[in-house]
Amino acid sequence: MTSALLSQAMCGTVDTPLLPLPDRVVGLLSELGSPPRLAAHLRAVHDVAHQLAVWLEQHCPAVAFDREAVLFGAATHDVGKTVHVSELSGPGAAHEEAGQALLLAHGVSPELARFAATHASWARSPVGLEDLLVSLADKIWKNKRVPGLEDLVVARLSDATGRAVWEEFIALDEVLARIGDGADERLAFQASFPIHG
């Protein structure tokens, strides 16, 4: 049975307007007994990924990317923290492989399960634009700017649009600054939910 706190974190009405998590993710997190704080975090990152996807579609309509994969990846990227709960409040990367394995065990395709493993490894291996967008959402939700990650996104956009790198940099910087302005509210939303409960 899903707790009231978990349900509120995933899809309840909140002061900070955040999109609810997709039904498939709600079912998965409920089945796994997700900590409410994890669900709140996933909801915040999912909302930011949605904002990035909308911006990308408007700014670079010719850029091909799998919007639904980005949204699912953002909504599940830290699912391994249902197993490695200590990583909700402390450092650790054990949740990455565990999350991918959990998703695969629950019938999620490898193409979608990969985000649990790639969201923190964008600098170590070649990844697609979708992976970069999930990683970016996982940083900018709390207004953390990561120049190396942003440079990779800018390069992909410049290659796809033919516009100068500096033009893409300015455009991305503007949208990240705008999204980052809501970080305090998203952080407060996440912190309002307990790790256990």
Side-chain angles (χ1 to χ4, degrees):
M1 185 169 127
T2 304
S3 76
L5 281 173
L6 178 56
S7 182
Q8 180 69 16
M10 294 187 294
C11 50
T13 303
V14 293
D15 292 338
T16 304
L18 296 172
L19 292 173
L21 286 170
D23 291 342
R24 182 179 185 191
V25 177
V26 167
L28 178 65
L29 294 178
S30 297
E31 184 179 334
L32 294 172
S34 172
R37 183 166 298 168
L38 173 59
H41 169 69
L42 294 173
R43 184 174 178 183
V45 175
H46 170 262
D47 186 82
V48 167
H50 180 265
Q51 291 180 59
L52 288 171
V54 168
W55 171 80
L56 185 56
E57 290 166 343
Q58 293 171 350
H59 175 71
C60 304
V63 173
F65 75 104
D66 187 337
R67 181 185 213 269
E68 293 309 311
V70 170
L71 297 179
F72 185 85
T76 59
H77 73 280
D78 274 348
V79 72
K81 290 183 180 181
T82 59
V83 175
H84 298 281
V85 178
S86 65
E87 292 183 15
L88 277 170
S89 57
H95 72 276
E96 295 163 15
E97 284 187 32
Q100 185 176 25
L102 265 176
L103 292 172
L104 291 170
H106 282 83
V108 174
S109 71
E111 294 77 27
L112 293 177
R114 76 177 194 267
F115 295 104
T118 64
H119 72 275
S121 64
W122 49 268
R124 294 193 299 266
S125 61
V127 294
L129 179 59
E130 293 83 0
D131 303 85
L132 294 174
L133 292 171
V134 170
S135 298
L136 191 57
D138 190 34
K139 299 300 182 192
I140 203 63
W141 81 275
K142 59 184 174 184
N143 204 19
K144 182 175 182 180
R145 302 296 296 264
V146 182
L149 173 58
E150 294 174 24
D151 289 347
L152 289 172
V153 174
V154 165
R156 296 287 176 95
L157 297 181
S158 179
D159 287 347
T161 64
R163 290 190 286 257
V165 169
W166 66 267
E167 288 182 81
E168 294 300 350
F169 173 82
I170 290 171
L172 182 65
D173 183 63
E174 286 175 0
V175 74
L176 295 183
R178 180 182 55 77
I179 294 171
D181 285 345
D184 288 345
E185 291 83 8
R186 288 186 294 269
L187 285 162
F189 168 73
Q190 177 182 289
S192 71
F193 291 93
I195 291 175
H196 305 285

